[in-house]
Amino acid sequence: MRKKSKDKRQRSQRPPHFHIEADRYSGGISVIISGVKEIIDFSDTQVILSLVGGKISIKGTLLTLTLFENGTLQIFGKIALWEFLYGKA
Amino acid sequence: MVRLDYYIFGYYKVRVKEEHKTYFLNESLKEKLSFKINSDGEFLISAWHKKRLNSLFSKEIFTYSPILGIPSFVIKNKKRYGLISGILLVSLLFFLSSLLVWDVRLECEDGIDTIRARELLDESGLFVGALWHTLDNSKIENSLLLSSPDIGWVNINRRGSVAYVEMRKKDIPDTPGQLIYSNIVAAYDGVIEEISVKSGYAVVKAGDSVRAGDLLVSGIMPDALGGAIVNAEAMVIAKRTDTVSVEISKLGTKTLLDPPFLSDFSIKIFNFSVNILKSGGNFDNEYAIIEKNTPIFIFDKKIPLEFNFTYRQQKREISLTHSPDEMTSLAAVELNGKMLELLKTSTLISLRTDGGFFGDKYMLTSYVTHSLNIAKEVQIEIG
């Protein structure tokens, strides 16, 4: 019984999973990502982020990054590919 | 594009040195700062955010531009009172005048009564002097389509302070001489975004929510329009959200194939087939089949003789354990396949994806909002 409640407590303390939302606009694609732990790389053609539960790599051209106060990140540009990767930063 | 409040209250263009870019971004993420940065490390900040930035980071990692926007202009021209008050007055007049509709330019196809069309526009609220913010173009277009029997298509565009209205005539057959009469119903659930009727009577409008099977365009015209029965033709674009989900278990199976063996061999002469070797047994599901036909050529001419070989390979399923890396990539590939299948006949509007490990499973769920033609023709049974 005690073990069960411990498990439940651990589960509630676990950070939320990542969330991705993509929208198409006339100038390109906007990808909004929450649950970002770290920005590993940011250049004109690639953004690599460490998320809760894995990594994500976004490739394209003319990429810009917008940080929001709630820790959410928006990547905008001509996005060609995104890949889910596993592994710690 | 610079934010309006930045222009009004002043802003700075900041450049982060390349070697400090990743450090600065991660620290900003932790400190919950908000800004838009490009790959050169350039971003804009308001005058009050500059102080916070200076308190959090060393000044050495940035280069600042002088203050930009209206404060910069005011500082340069602070003693020219006439110029500044003139600009303010003109801006105010310009802003007030842009709130009104200055002209309504109507272009009608032959057969539409222009005077009546203008009256309908007035009744809908689109007239010279109306306030732009009180007008909803889609609502006006729909009310015109529903209220006039002649109008089949309406488009209202705003250019500056002028409204451009274009109208086309509805095709109504004079006599119901067709053999097939049909209605248009919804093939799927959705919210209608656009409806263009070629023939028939629209019973729904943009913004309406419909369920699969609901009547969209009636093939039976109302009494006011002659009461004829027609073959309804329309394109109804609707927006709908579907959920695509994949789940990859840690424990999976993989199919391995044994080396092939010759199970059947036959010779085909003209259209007759002679079996030389034929293996017995049920090979249906457990074996993969490879068929090889070898025609015979003599002096580059095909003769009516052909050897047919059939090879079989036994399938063996083995269980394996996926690494987290494999689970994520397998889920991404599977989700991609499902997404392509879903978007074969529709256009993607937006996509939300959630993913994560749940016990021994990795789950990816995408909420896909897409638009598609939901019009489905259903024949009207008369009798």
Side-chain angles (χ1 to χ4, degrees):
Chain A
M1 188 70 188
R2 191 177 289 169
K3 200 187 168 196
K4 248 185 184 176
S5 65
K6 196 183 168 189
D7 282 353
K8 204 175 173 184
R9 197 165 59 239
Q10 276 179 347
R11 221 177 295 143
S12 65
Q13 284 168 355
R14 203 184 287 162
H17 293 103
F18 67 86
H19 174 86
I20 300 172
E21 201 166 323
D23 284 283
R24 198 161 57 179
Y25 293 96
S26 56
I29 293 173
S30 147
V31 180
I32 293 173
I33 305 173
S34 58
V36 178
K37 284 200 300 187
E38 194 189 346
I39 299 159
I40 300 166
D41 185 29
F42 169 50
S43 70
D44 196 21
T45 54
Q46 180 172 265
V47 180
I48 301 177
L49 307 169
S50 172
L51 308 174
V52 178
K55 285 195 285 185
I56 188 167
S57 155
I58 292 172
K59 288 174 184 172
T61 51
L62 305 168
L63 300 181
T64 60
L65 200 67
T66 308
L67 275 70
F68 293 102
E69 281 165 8
N70 60 359
T72 305
L73 235 142
Q74 183 193 31
I75 297 151
F76 186 79
K78 297 194 183 300
I79 292 167
L81 174 79
W82 74 62
E83 289 174 306
F84 295 98
L85 313 163
Y86 185 77
K88 288 178 181 172
Chain B
M1 195 160 159
V2 182
R3 281 165 49 173
L4 189 65
D5 58 328
Y6 279 25
Y7 257 127
I8 295 167
F9 300 109
Y11 66 96
Y12 296 90
K13 195 181 239 184
V14 188
R15 192 187 178 105
V16 190
K17 287 176 185 165
E18 186 62 36
E19 60 270 28
H20 301 297
K21 200 167 73 182
T22 318
Y23 159 77
F24 169 71
L25 285 170
N26 284 313
E27 288 301 309
S28 303
L29 200 66
K30 279 181 205 161
E31 296 294 336
K32 301 191 185 306
L33 295 177
S34 176
F35 53 83
K36 182 180 180 180
I37 187 166
N38 65 16
S39 58
D40 295 330
E42 282 180 352
F43 63 99
L44 308 176
I45 53 159
S46 59
W48 57 86
H49 276 132
K50 189 188 168 192
K51 284 178 192 165
R52 192 166 171 218
L53 212 61
N54 284 337
S55 68
L56 290 171
F57 300 100
S58 161
K59 281 181 187 175
E60 291 163 8
I61 69 169
F62 307 113
T63 49
Y64 289 102
S65 71
I67 193 162
L68 302 165
I70 292 174
S72 155
F73 179 81
V74 173
I75 290 165
K76 281 179 194 164
N77 301 289
K78 60 184 173 189
K79 290 194 177 165
R80 296 176 179 171
Y81 305 114
L83 177 73
I84 289 174
S85 53
I87 287 170
L88 286 174
L89 193 68
V90 168
S91 308
L92 186 69
L93 284 172
F94 191 73
F95 172 71
L96 291 175
S97 68
S98 68
L99 297 175
L100 303 170
V101 177
W102 280 80
D103 195 9
V104 180
R105 292 182 194 169
L106 184 59
E107 195 182 308
C108 292
E109 203 179 45
D110 288 347
I112 297 175
D113 185 355
T114 317
I115 298 164
R116 177 71 189 135
R118 204 166 273 282
E119 279 172 10
L120 286 171
L121 279 171
D122 286 351
E123 283 166 20
S124 311
L126 183 60
F127 49 85
V128 175
L131 289 166
W132 276 114
H133 69 269
T134 60
L135 302 175
D136 183 341
N137 288 0
S138 307
K139 275 188 182 170
I140 296 169
E141 283 167 4
N142 285 316
S143 73
L144 286 168
L145 284 174
L146 292 173
S147 58
S148 171
D150 305 333
I151 304 164
W153 181 83
V154 186
N155 184 33
I156 301 170
N157 278 317
R158 179 186 173 175
R159 279 179 226 152
S161 293
V162 179
Y164 289 83
V165 184
E166 208 181 328
M167 290 184 189
R168 284 187 201 155
K169 209 183 154 193
K170 191 181 269 180
D171 294 329
I172 303 168
D174 296 334
T175 49
Q178 293 157 303
L179 291 171
I180 301 165
Y181 306 112
S182 61
N183 288 324
I184 299 283
V185 298
Y188 311 99
D189 299 354
V191 178
I192 294 172
E193 289 217 306
E194 192 186 325
I195 178 164
S196 63
V197 181
K198 204 173 167 191
S199 65
Y201 182 74
V203 294
V204 289
K205 58 184 186 307
D208 284 357
S209 176
V210 293
R211 298 197 73 100
D214 283 358
L215 181 68
L216 305 176
V217 180
S218 173
I220 303 166
M221 304 298 279
D223 291 342
L225 305 180
I229 305 175
V230 296
N231 182 30
E233 282 180 74
M235 194 170 74
V236 185
I237 304 294
K239 189 165 88 173
R240 58 182 268 117
T241 301
D242 282 297
T243 308
V244 181
S245 183
V246 291
E247 192 180 296
I248 301 292
S249 297
K250 196 174 181 182
L251 296 171
T253 55
K254 194 179 175 184
T255 307
L256 290 179
L257 292 170
D258 280 355
F261 64 89
L262 184 68
S263 65
D264 298 346
F265 171 57
S266 63
I267 299 172
K268 196 177 173 187
I269 306 162
F270 291 101
N271 275 336
F272 298 101
S273 193
V274 180
N275 287 330
I276 306 295
L277 170 72
K278 191 160 179 70
S279 305
N282 182 15
F283 291 118
D284 283 354
N285 296 322
E286 291 172 13
Y287 290 84
I289 299 168
I290 305 163
E291 285 187 344
K292 197 175 165 188
N293 300 331
T294 316
I296 308 296
F297 292 88
I298 295 177
F299 301 118
D300 288 341
K301 268 200 160 184
K302 192 182 168 188
I303 62 162
L305 179 70
E306 196 175 282
F307 296 116
N308 297 332
F309 300 90
T310 304
Y311 297 91
R312 290 179 200 271
Q313 283 179 288
Q314 193 170 8
K315 295 176 190 171
R316 282 179 206 283
E317 284 209 336
I318 55 157
S319 55
L320 49 90
T321 310
H322 294 301
S323 68
D325 208 353
E326 284 169 341
M327 285 164 82
T328 50
S329 58
L330 278 171
V333 168
E334 208 175 302
L335 187 79
N336 200 20
K338 283 190 175 182
M339 206 80 83
L340 286 173
E341 185 61 34
L342 179 73
L343 298 173
K344 214 187 266 177
T345 54
S346 60
T347 310
L348 179 69
I349 297 172
S350 71
L351 180 71
R352 287 193 292 122
T353 307
D354 295 315
F357 285 92
F358 298 88
D360 281 351
K361 288 172 181 169
Y362 181 75
M363 282 179 73
L364 270 180
T365 307
S366 280
Y367 304 92
V368 190
T369 306
H370 55 120
S371 63
L372 73 164
N373 186 8
I374 59 161
K376 190 174 91 177
E377 221 169 275
V378 177
Q379 210 168 319
I380 303 171
E381 285 174 16
I382 303 165

